[in-house]
Amino acid sequence: MASSTDSATPIDEAVRQLYERYRSAESDAERREIALEMGKLDGRRNADIYAALEDE
């Protein structure tokens, strides 16, 4: 059976990795840096990806 990540685009995967890094960040400064990276990707992606990650 194929996993749901088999069809993920490189941007989807980058967002997923950033989200996981954000969740495991140990400081506000680290979270802010990751949030800025997420903002850059958000310019290329719809906010729906964040909603999908929250539902996982």
Side-chain angles (χ1 to χ4, degrees):
M1 178 193 270
S3 74
S4 62
T5 59
D6 287 347
S7 62
T9 67
I11 293 173
D12 292 338
E13 189 58 34
V15 170
R16 184 178 309 280
Q17 290 173 4
L18 285 170
Y19 182 78
E20 292 302 322
R21 283 179 46 209
Y22 184 88
R23 289 183 57 193
S24 65
E26 296 181 5
S27 70
D28 287 339
E30 189 177 358
R31 283 185 201 89
R32 183 178 185 282
E33 181 180 324
I34 295 166
L36 290 173
E37 290 180 53
M38 292 171 102
K40 289 176 188 175
L41 285 177
D42 194 37
R44 298 179 352 209
R45 290 292 290 165
N46 191 314
D48 291 345
I49 189 72
Y50 298 109
L53 289 170
E54 287 294 327
D55 291 339
E56 287 188 353

